[in-house]
Amino acid sequence: MRNTTYYVTINVKDKKGEIRRIKCGSKDEINKRLTQLHLKGIISYTFTLMKNGIRYKDFNLEDSLMKFIKYLPLIKEEN
């Protein structure tokens, strides 16, 4: 039986308009990265939920944050 691993990338546009992807392997890391972004004044980003290394779902902060939150328990904590 294959172990299903979920992780999240936070997608942020830099000043040049290019997308920078920040990989997060745990809920704590998501929280830490979002705190860092907010401290820099960056509040516009999207989330991509990856499943076994493949893009699974994309979430926009405004309209689908509640949908994203239900996936948080699925993210495997890194040791």
Side-chain angles (χ1 to χ4, degrees):
M1 177 183 237
R2 185 174 180 187
N3 189 10
T4 301
T5 304
Y6 291 89
Y7 69 90
V8 169
T9 60
I10 302 170
N11 311 302
V12 181
K13 274 191 182 175
D14 64 15
K15 291 179 179 169
K16 296 177 186 174
E18 296 174 2
I19 300 290
R20 195 179 89 200
R21 290 177 174 77
I22 304 166
K23 184 178 174 181
C24 302
S26 70
K27 295 180 227 26
D28 287 338
E29 191 174 0
I30 293 169
N31 186 44
K32 183 178 112 183
R33 296 294 190 162
L34 290 180
T35 300
Q36 289 171 344
L37 290 173
H38 282 257
L39 289 173
K40 291 179 181 176
I42 299 170
I43 55 170
S44 180
Y45 43 79
T46 60
F47 298 100
T48 301
L49 182 67
M50 307 293 284
K51 180 179 178 181
N52 294 327
I54 299 169
R55 172 180 265 144
Y56 184 63
K57 285 191 181 290
D58 292 302
F59 298 93
N60 179 296
L61 185 64
E62 290 82 24
D63 62 5
S64 59
L65 185 59
M66 295 309 290
K67 293 177 191 171
F68 171 71
I69 288 171
K70 77 178 184 179
Y71 284 97
L72 283 178
L74 299 174
I75 298 168
K76 183 177 180 179
E77 294 296 324
E78 291 182 342
N79 295 330

